[in-house]
Amino acid sequence: MTISGAVLGVVLRTTPLRESDLLGGQQHAEHGRITAVARGGRKSQRRFAGALQLLVLGRYQLGRPPRGELWNLESADIVRDWHPIASDVVAVAHASYIAELAGALLPTETPEPHALELVVALWDALAAGGPSPAVLRTIEIALLDLAGHRPALDACAACGRSELDAAVFDPIRGGAICRTCAAISRNAGVRPIDAGALAYLRAAAAVEAPGDARPLDSDPRFTPGERTAAREALVAMAQHLVGKPLKSLEYIAKLASAGRKP
Ligand SMILES: [Zn+2]
């Protein structure tokens, strides 16, 4: 058994395993994304001090059997929690979406301190001012970037031409596509995108700390239609890269149809 010592991280998702265990996908600064088994985790939350859930930054004592794929989670402590957010369904939906995206897109066992910072930055922003679409866009773009798929927003994703007279956004070809190259962008996820929506995405990508993106939610330079087009373009790209429907997005769609504004 290799004992790693206690490491700082977050739980991205948990899945019941056998009668009493929990399988958890976690993100750590030190190990990157890993999957660990919490033996007895379904029955004894005490040993894990409530740290096997979203909205908790924890210190996790991990060990690993030789040649094992899965880590063992021995114990855990809460370092910080963002539980007040849990009463806001839209905030929880945003947190769940980013957790699902990180869990699906980031490479396993590749140390990635920035990914953990992004998750925590989202929770901080949700706690500070509630859900913000622009903050969500900033974190989506940063996660896509970390996963090696930064969307092309300044130049054509196909030919690289920078005086971008963008015609469409093509999630499969990797972003904005110029008028010339758009002729062969014909897959299902392709959508028209205008200069305003692209400018909004560039502004979201350019902020230093994700929380600083919030003023873009009410920035008069951008119309609600442009914000919607920008959201749909990024979501289409995330969806394409994950390769299967994201549960958190289905939940967000349900909230939207029930009249909440995600
Ligand atoms: Zn082009």
Side-chain angles (χ1 to χ4, degrees), residues 156-161 164 173 176-182:
C156 173
C159 71
R161 200 166 59 190
L164 185 60
R173 294 169 94 186
I177 299 285
C178 75
R179 279 181 205 287
T180 311
C181 298

Side-chain angles (χ1 to χ4, degrees), residues 24-106:
Q26 307 191 335
Q27 185 71 38
H28 297 278
E30 198 172 317
H31 303 297
R33 185 163 67 84
I34 64 159
T35 306
V37 180
R39 307 235 177 257
R42 290 179 75 181
K43 285 184 176 156
S44 168
Q45 271 281 335
R46 195 163 52 93
R47 187 152 53 99
F48 301 107
L52 301 183
Q53 54 185 316
L54 206 59
L55 303 177
V56 167
L57 179 69
R59 199 173 281 115
Y60 299 89
Q61 189 78 42
L62 294 159
R64 190 181 211 182
R67 291 188 301 276
E69 283 288 303
L70 295 175
W71 295 71
N72 279 326
L73 179 59
E74 313 291 342
S75 62
D77 295 292
I78 292 180
V79 173
R80 229 186 118 188
D81 78 69
W82 287 259
H83 284 146
I85 301 170
S87 59
D88 179 337
V89 287
V90 177
V92 171
H94 283 198
S96 304
Y97 172 52
I98 291 304
E100 195 176 6
L101 209 53
L105 290 183
L106 296 175

Side-chain angles (χ1 to χ4, degrees), residues 137-138 141-142 150 153 200-208 216:
R137 298 292 84 82
T138 299
I141 293 168
R150 187 178 182 85
L153 303 172
Y200 171 76
L201 286 176
R202 280 198 292 270
V207 298
E208 197 84 355
L216 292 174

Side-chain angles (χ1 to χ4, degrees), residues 88-222:
D88 179 337
V89 287
V90 177
V92 171
H94 283 198
S96 304
Y97 172 52
I98 291 304
E100 195 176 6
L101 209 53
L105 290 183
L106 296 175
T108 53
E109 309 211 7
T110 307
E112 186 43 87
H114 194 45
L116 185 60
E117 285 166 16
L118 285 174
V119 170
V120 168
L122 173 67
W123 298 348
D124 277 341
L126 289 170
S132 156
V135 170
L136 200 60
R137 298 292 84 82
T138 299
I139 292 179
E140 261 173 334
I141 293 168
L143 269 182
L144 290 170
D145 191 16
L146 285 184
H149 299 283
R150 187 178 182 85
L153 303 172
D154 297 297
C156 173
C159 71
R161 200 166 59 190
S162 61
E163 63 280 20
L164 185 60
D165 180 18
V168 297
F169 187 94
D170 186 333
I172 295 179
R173 294 169 94 186
I177 299 285
C178 75
R179 279 181 205 287
T180 311
C181 298
I184 55 162
S185 272
R186 296 238 178 271
N187 60 74
V190 175
R191 64 210 50 245
I193 196 156
D194 58 23
L198 271 180
Y200 171 76
L201 286 176
R202 280 198 292 270
V207 298
E208 197 84 355
D212 296 345
R214 191 180 298 275
L216 292 174
D217 288 331
S218 52
D219 189 322
R221 286 178 298 163
F222 309 111

